Amino acid sequence: MMVRIEKAMRNKNVDIFAHPSGRIVGQRDEYKIDFDKVLQLAKETGTVLEINSSSRLDLRDLYIRRAKNQGVKMIINTDSHQKEQLHLMEYGIAMARRGWAECEDIINTNPVEKMLDYLK
């Protein structure tokens, strides 16, 4: 899995790494990956890590805190497929807070013009 992740994160067309640990709460455990390597790659390539607000709740708070401490940017995403699911954002915000993330760590807390600067 790490070979695939590294290849994707080094791809010039990849700005955001969604579902970074692959977990789905109550259904599937996290991938067995080297998260320190993921953080290193994210920092090196400028890849933003997703905090997913759906049933994945991926990244976990522990990983959010580690990303924050490494200076890796994150984005909170609802993974919505319908407008009725947009309320899920509150779960992503809660995970970010549990991981001690602040506005400057989360790219979609910025005005759209500044947020776009984080994309490759």
Side-chain angles (χ1 to χ4, degrees), residues 1-21 33-50 72-73 120:
M1 188 55 77
M2 279 305 303
V3 171
R4 290 178 170 181
I5 290 170
E6 182 168 359
K7 184 176 180 179
M9 292 177 77
R10 291 194 184 282
N11 185 310
K12 66 181 174 79
N13 298 305
V14 174
D15 299 315
I16 299 170
F17 179 20
H19 313 316
S21 77
I33 59 173
D34 180 349
F35 195 72
D36 289 326
K37 177 73 172 178
V38 170
L39 290 175
Q40 174 193 345
L41 287 165
K43 191 164 184 156
E44 180 184 325
T45 62
T47 304
V48 176
L49 300 182
E50 178 197 37
V72 172
K73 297 297 183 186
K120 297 177 191 172

Side-chain angles (χ1 to χ4, degrees), residues 1 7 10 15 18-19 25 40 52-53 61 74 82 115:
M1 188 55 77
K7 184 176 180 179
R10 291 194 184 282
D15 299 315
H19 313 316
V25 177
Q40 174 193 345
N52 188 281
S53 303
D61 54 354
M74 294 164 278
Q82 300 170 354
M115 186 186 85

